[in-house]
């Protein structure tokens, strides 16, 4: 998912996928992660987290093509409608799902891998005013619980899980669980395959 930039930071490698296939993937991801889903129509019409991701994909396309004001204005309009603020400069992979969504903030230099899920009131924020990589990287299969704060240019490893209301300011190893303020890492000896991660721990740490 990620490749190295010349400045040493990592960015998501481009993945070619038609827009219809991408929309279908996003809907399927929502259905897979939310047991309350009753129909595809309900997801498409009534899930603000999904609407915010779709709007982000358009605003990001504008951003990378140099239409930065248009991208920023679209992201702010989306914020007013959904309560979810995703900077158009952020890099987000496939099958990203935001459950409930209200109060989510994702900063400009945040990088999110594939199959990531976050709950409401999550902040992927910075700890610097310098124009550098200042927001977190979430690798594939990460889950971030409600109210969590993940701050600074840190990396949350593949399949890791951040508990509700945790404040994370240091790197998290792949497959670990982070809980508390400040976040305390607990290793776990289970597979970190994203398909298996959801069943590896009590979901109460997320919501």
């Amino acid at each position: 998912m990620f490749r190295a930039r010349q400045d040493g930071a990592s960015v998501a490698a481009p993945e070619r996928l038609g827009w219809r296939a991408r929309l279908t993937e996003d809907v399927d991801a929502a259905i897979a992660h939310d047991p309350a889903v009753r129909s595809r129509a309900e997801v498409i019409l009534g899930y603000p987290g999904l609407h915010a991701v779709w709007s982000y994909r358009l605003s990001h396309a504008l951003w990378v093509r140099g239409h930065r004001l248009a991208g920023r204005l679209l992201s702010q309009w989306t914020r007013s409608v959904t309560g979810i603020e995703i900077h158009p400069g952020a890099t987000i992979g496939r099958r990203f799902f935001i459950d409930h969504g209200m109060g989510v903030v994702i900063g400009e230099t945040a990088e999110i891998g594939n199959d990531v899920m976050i709950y409401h009131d999550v902040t992927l924020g910075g700890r610097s005013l310098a124009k550098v990589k200042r927001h977190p990287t979430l690798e594939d299969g990460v889950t971030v619980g409600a109210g969590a704060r993940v701050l600074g240019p840190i990396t949350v490893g593949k399949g890791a899980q951040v508990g509700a209301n945790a404040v994370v300011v240091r790197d998290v190893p792949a497959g670990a669980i982070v809980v508390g303020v400040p976040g305390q890492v607990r290793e776990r000896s289970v597979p970190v395959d994203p398909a298996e991660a959801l069943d590896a721990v009590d979901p109460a740490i997320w919501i």
Side-chain angles (χ1 to χ4, degrees), residues 13-154:
E15 297 180 70
R16 295 189 178 277
L17 195 70
W19 66 270
R20 291 183 179 177
R22 180 63 60 90
L23 296 183
T24 299
E25 269 200 340
D26 290 335
V27 173
D28 290 342
I31 292 171
H33 286 90
D34 189 354
V37 171
R38 291 176 177 81
S39 70
R40 297 182 72 83
E42 178 185 12
V43 174
I44 293 168
L45 298 174
Y47 274 50
L50 187 62
H51 301 158
V53 170
W54 285 345
S55 178
Y56 155 80
R57 298 204 190 285
L58 178 56
S59 66
H60 181 70
L62 292 168
W63 183 268
V64 299
R65 287 167 174 76
H67 305 294
R68 297 203 165 185
L69 178 59
R72 198 75 170 97
L73 292 177
L74 176 57
S75 72
Q76 290 302 296
W77 177 83
T78 304
R79 176 193 181 195
S80 70
V81 173
T82 65
I84 299 167
E85 180 175 346
I86 307 176
H87 194 286
T91 303
I92 298 177
R94 295 166 60 179
R95 298 177 296 276
F96 177 52
F97 180 53
I98 303 172
D99 199 5
H100 305 297
M102 182 63 70
V104 167
V105 176
I106 299 174
E108 177 186 8
T109 62
E111 300 174 58
I112 299 174
N114 297 327
D115 303 298
V116 170
M117 177 180 182
I118 66 177
Y119 286 87
H120 51 286
D121 197 30
V122 165
T123 298
L124 305 183
R127 290 185 288 139
S128 169
L129 298 179
K131 293 183 179 296
V132 295
K133 165 71 171 165
R134 60 190 185 278
H135 298 100
T137 295
L138 308 185
E139 294 187 344
D140 296 350
V142 167
T143 301
V144 183
R149 306 289 184 256
V150 186
L151 306 175
I154 63 174

Side-chain angles (χ1 to χ4, degrees), residues 174-187:
I177 298 171
V178 186
V179 294
V181 181
Q184 301 296 313
V185 173
R186 292 189 293 159
E187 305 278 353

